[in-house]
Amino acid sequence: MWTGVFPAVTTKFTADDRLDHAEMERCYGLQMEAGCDGIVVCGSLGEGPMLSHDEKIEVLKTARKVAGKKPVLLTVNEPGTREAASIASRAAKEGADGLMVVPSPIYHTNPEETVAALRAVAEAADLPVMIYSNRLAYRVDVTVDLMEELASDKRFVAIKESSDDIRRSTEIINRFGDRYDLFTGVDNLAFEALSVGAIGWVAGLVTAFPRETVAIYQLMQQGRREEALAIYRWFRPLLDLDVSTYLVQNIKLAEVLAIGTNDRVRMPRQPLSGERRKAVETIVRDALAVRPKLPSLQASARSTDRLVAAE
């Protein structure tokens, strides 16, 4: 069972556009120290579509080195199923614990094509799969009915629910019970999703604010809803930065201000500039100025990791 906070980590680059493994190790280490429960690499936030297959495997290995016994998932987001199956197979050989699979972001598959493509990737890797359902970003809706078609294959173990409709979470639970590990994938719907039964959070702003993200999740698991809600309300302006065409640049700039890293991105993206950069800096600096003191977190039955007390 996959549960908890899984950061969708950013990919770090050097000034000459190579992978910066040392900085990735440092940044991913902060996630683990804060009590995150796994890592997802090379997704949209990780600029996966801008990476070669060899680079994706390198990022996977770096995350695997940092994560220890915690699961590391490689995102499969290739335009073609042949290429998706190829990188999935490589990931299995190179130490991935599972895959997060996106339907083709280029060709918008119909239901039959969606199911066939997801099955082909699962068969190629023979690893546990988290189905990424994001009809807004990728224009393919992995509906509850399609999840039912896939439920007979035990390799499909989890759903990253990003439909932007909080009712979908309850529909999945009503249809399947605990057949799938239900994760929320929309940062500014995370509290709501955790309130109705999600057991995991594939998070974005966690890369800049890991302790706060873990605190919200753990407090919700412990039934301390009001304490979690207070942090979430503070967090909301930051979490909104995840729901944007510029989510990569937004979050990397938040990382600059919160954890002292860089905001290099791979072209055609460019770091934020001008008024847009000023606006995001204001949001982040305003939040940092009133950063909440976190309550002590009791040990969770789901994790033996050291949880972080108030700063």
Side-chain angles (χ1 to χ4, degrees), residues 46-65:
E47 297 176 77
M50 311 302 175
L51 304 176
S52 70
H53 281 196
D54 287 344
E55 286 178 318
K56 290 181 181 184
I57 295 301
E58 289 183 43
V59 174
L60 168 66
K61 289 180 177 179
T62 295
R64 176 73 279 149
K65 178 179 178 182

Side-chain angles (χ1 to χ4, degrees), residues 63-122:
R64 176 73 279 149
K65 178 179 178 182
V66 174
K69 295 182 179 180
K70 295 179 180 180
V72 177
L73 279 60
L74 178 78
T75 305
V76 176
N77 48 11
E78 303 298 318
T81 302
R82 180 183 63 176
E83 291 76 18
S86 175
I87 188 62
S89 177
R90 286 188 65 182
K93 297 171 184 175
E94 297 290 355
D97 297 290
L99 306 172
M100 185 171 77
V101 182
V102 181
S104 172
I106 302 299
Y107 173 70
H108 306 139
T109 51
N110 67 32
E112 293 78 11
E113 292 169 332
T114 301
V115 168
L118 290 169
R119 283 178 172 157
V121 174

